[in-house]
Structure formats: C-alpha cells, structure tokens
Amino acid sequence: MTQSSTQDHLLEETLPTTTAVTAASNPRKLSIIPLVFLIYFEVSGGAYGEEAAVGAAGPLWAILGFIVFPFIWSIPEALITAELATAFPGNGGYVIWANEAFGPFWGSLMGSWKFLSGVINLASYPALCVDYIKLVFPILSSGLPRYGAILLSSLFLSFLNYTGLVIVGYTAVCLGVISLLPFVLLTLFSIPKIDPSRWISLGQKGVAKDWPLFFNTLFWNLNFWDNASTLAGEVEQPQKTFPKALFSAGLLTCLVYLVPLLAATGAIPLDQENWVDGYFADAAETIAGTWLKVFVEIGAVLSIIGLYEAQLSSSVYQLVGMADLGFLPQCFSVRSKWFNTPWVGILVSTLITVAVSYMNFSDLISSVNFLYSLGMLLEFASFLWLRRKLPTIKRPFKVPMNLPGLIVMCLIPSGFLVYIMVVATVNVFLVSSILTVLTIIWYFVMNFCKSRKPAIVEGEDYLE
C-alpha cells in the first residue's frame, strides 16, 4: 500500500470517529429546514440591499446581473461547499480544507481571513437595523442615541445566539417566512402596473455607470455560500443534508432577488438616483400604499436579525474548528453548560463587531469583499489540490467533473475575485494588508506558545 493510499484509508476511518464524538457531545443537531434558512440568511436574507445595482447600472444590467452571476459565482461556490463539507464534516469548514490541502500555516491564514470578513460583515447588520428603525424613531438618526441603539441591538442579538444553534435555526425559519411576505405582496400588487419595456432600460441619460459599486453589490448579495460549512459538526447527517440544503437555499435566494426586482423596476418609472439601499420600502409605498412600506421596513428589520444570527453562528463555530486544529487556544471550544454554545467565541465575535460597527458602511462592505476574496482564492486552490492530493477519499457528494473541468469552473470566479481586489481603494488595501500581517504574526505566536506549553493548545489532525 502506498503512502498516499494509507493516508486516504486513515482519513476515511478517522472522519466518522470525529463526527460520532461530536454527535455524542451535542445530541441536538440541525435538521434540513433550519439549515436551509441559515444558509439563506448567510447569503441573502431577502431582496434588501440589491437596490444599489439598479442605481449603479440601470434595470437591464441589474436584472442580467442577478440572473447570470449565480451561474458564474454562486453555483461553483455552492458545489465546492457541498463536496468538501461532506468529505470533511467537522466544525471549521474551509479552515479544515486549507489545512488538509496545504498545511497549518494556510489553514490558519484561511481562518483569519474568513473570520475577519465575517465579523466585519456582521458589524454592518446592527447599523442597517437602526437605519430602518430610525424611520419610525428619528431620534436614532445620529449621535449618542444611534450609537447606543447599535450597541444594545448587537448585545441582544448575540444573546439570542447564545441560547443555542437549534433555537437560532428555527428562529431563522420564522424570520425568513415573515420577511418574505412583504415581497410577495409587492410582487402581486405590481403585476397590473408592470411595463416590460422598463426592464430593458440601460439607465437614465446623463447618469454615469458605477461598475465597482455594481459588482460589489452583486458580490455582497450572492456570496458566503461556504459559511455554513463551519457548522458541519452541528448538522444532522451532514453528508446527506448539506447538498439538499444548499440546493434549496440557492433556488430560494435566486427567486427572492429576481422576482421583486422585476416587479419594482417594471411597475415604477425609473428614477435611477432613488435606487439606493432601502428603496424597496419607497417602491412599496408607490405601488400599494404606506401600509406596505411599513411592512417592508418591518421585514427588513427581521431579515437583518436573521442575517446577524446566521453570520454570528458561522463565525463562532469556525473558531471552534480553529481551536480543535490548534490555531486558537482551547478556550474557544469551551461550551456553555446551559445551552451547549461556545460562549467565548460569541463574546469575542461580539466585541469585534461592536468595535467596527461605527465605520462607514461602504468601507465595511469593501473590506469584507477584499478579505473574503483572499479567502476564496485559497479555498478554490484547496479544492483543486485536494482532488489531486486525496483522489480516493470518500466524497458523499462529488462535483461531477474531472480536474481540467474543475480548473475552468474555478478560474472564472477567480477572475472576478481578482477584479474585486483590484478596484478596492487604497484604504481598504492597507487595512486588509495590516490585518493579514497581524494574523501571520498570530500564527507564529501560537506556535511559540505550543512549543513552550503544549497543553495550551491541543490540535486535531484529520489524518492522524
């Protein structure tokens, strides 16, 4: 037996053991319906946030973007997630994949990039929530009341996450159904007013195209498919559940974006400058009245709550996986005796979120996209290398392509990732570079601590 086949054999025997231990210690596992809505909230949470694509490039480009972009980005990312999450069904997701492909340095770097992008992205949600609430309570528009509202909403939402992933999952189901209802009504009331010729408009004359904003909007609304992989150790029968949940969440997400976009752009004469974040509420008022505007705003707040809970869960269980692999101290995997949740990870993630939640929203999104792009380039490389390095490991779901086809599948979205990074501002580049250097320093600090006091961190290797 060759060394490679021996490793493959050991890997196949070790993975079920690891999964069984996780199941024994955490009998309350996520089933498929809560997982579908957690993935849905990881990626989307509704049509809120897609308005800027119309403002940046006009209705036709926005519609084409939300039709075409899932095929060149979302589907490849979801397929890779389905294959690797079922082959390595443990908490940590993409951190495990990079570690197995290229070793601990790259696994640690992957974890740092993805975690930072996740918590920075998380920071945008309390601010968005307050932006909608201030329409009812104007006192929250600025100053100390706004900062206080952001802080209190962050703490409350984090406490909800502390109560347990199963509770968070079923909360996501309820939030998802309720937040979708305003768009169902918006679509129904739009039908008699739709003029299909409005869909082919390239935008108003004299309004310049803002392509960086357009592509950043598409990217922000349709990425993070792999985030749910960090919860694999908490999912009931992940080998069977993950592919089904990803497909269902993907179909739901595409419909949720496209249908309201067609309805609103077709029913209302184009005033491109109005198409900014939150415009769907104004469109609802124009189409059906103030009552639907209020309903859309309520749905937006509920959607943001779902987004926060899903993203925080992903970030927290990623930290659990990193602690298991030895990239973080073991305290990050310690769970609450009451709710079986990793409370240290929740606390640390919340503190970082609060610290950066007062940044400019556009700067937040650009920083998220840059760090996430770095992580995704490494993820694509890990996927391709694992196909070559471990060709015979058990893959309950396998992308039905050989290596050359997979390379082509990954090259197209990789080109887009490079574009996102190239158009980033100097400030975003500097911030991302500094954070990357700090994470590299952290890796070597952890190695030094392990060499001096091995008990501080106990790594878990899937091949040993």
Side-chain angles (χ1 to χ4, degrees), residues 70-150:
F71 288 94
I72 65 174
W73 173 257
S74 300
I75 291 177
E77 187 182 11
L79 288 173
I80 289 171
T81 300
E83 176 171 322
L84 294 180
T86 55
F88 302 93
N91 291 329
Y94 31 71
V95 182
I96 299 172
W97 312 339
N99 180 65
E100 294 297 338
F102 301 118
F105 173 80
W106 293 102
S108 175
L109 199 57
M110 169 74 88
S112 300
W113 282 336
K114 288 296 189 80
F115 174 73
L116 289 171
S117 70
V119 291
I120 293 174
N121 188 49
L122 193 65
S124 66
Y125 298 139
L128 281 174
C129 189
V130 173
D131 283 342
Y132 277 98
I133 295 175
K134 75 182 182 183
L135 299 173
V136 180
F137 301 103
I139 192 174
L140 301 179
S141 297
S142 62
L144 187 60
R146 175 177 173 79
Y147 297 147
I150 291 174

Side-chain angles (χ1 to χ4, degrees), residues 59 87 128 131 139 145 187 192 212 216 222 277 294 307 342 424:
L128 281 174
D131 283 342
I139 192 174
T187 302
N216 265 306
L222 288 165
D277 289 335
V294 174
L307 288 164

Side-chain angles (χ1 to χ4, degrees), residues 11 80 86 206 225 279 281 302 324 357 382-383 391 410:
L11 179 64
I80 289 171
T86 55
W225 290 97
Y279 179 67
L302 296 178
D324 290 340
S357 61
S382 301
F383 170 68
C410 292

Side-chain angles (χ1 to χ4, degrees), residues 38-199:
L38 280 174
I39 295 173
Y40 165 71
F41 277 115
E42 293 277 11
V43 178
S44 168
Y48 312 100
E50 70 173 332
E51 301 99 325
V54 178
L60 180 60
W61 283 111
I63 292 168
L64 290 176
F66 281 98
I67 291 175
V68 175
F69 196 73
F71 288 94
I72 65 174
W73 173 257
S74 300
I75 291 177
E77 187 182 11
L79 288 173
I80 289 171
T81 300
E83 176 171 322
L84 294 180
T86 55
F88 302 93
N91 291 329
Y94 31 71
V95 182
I96 299 172
W97 312 339
N99 180 65
E100 294 297 338
F102 301 118
F105 173 80
W106 293 102
S108 175
L109 199 57
M110 169 74 88
S112 300
W113 282 336
K114 288 296 189 80
F115 174 73
L116 289 171
S117 70
V119 291
I120 293 174
N121 188 49
L122 193 65
S124 66
Y125 298 139
L128 281 174
C129 189
V130 173
D131 283 342
Y132 277 98
I133 295 175
K134 75 182 182 183
L135 299 173
V136 180
F137 301 103
I139 192 174
L140 301 179
S141 297
S142 62
L144 187 60
R146 175 177 173 79
Y147 297 147
I150 291 174
L151 174 61
L152 290 176
S153 60
S154 299
L155 295 177
F156 171 76
L157 295 176
S158 294
F159 178 77
L160 176 60
N161 201 274
Y162 173 68
T163 61
L165 191 57
V166 173
I167 292 175
V168 169
Y170 281 104
T171 300
V173 175
C174 297
L175 293 173
V177 171
I178 297 172
S179 64
L180 284 173
L181 287 178
F183 290 106
V184 173
L185 295 172
L186 174 69
T187 302
L188 293 175
F189 278 95
S190 297
I191 291 174
K193 304 178 181 181
I194 287 178
D195 179 359
S197 65
R198 293 170 177 156
W199 293 336

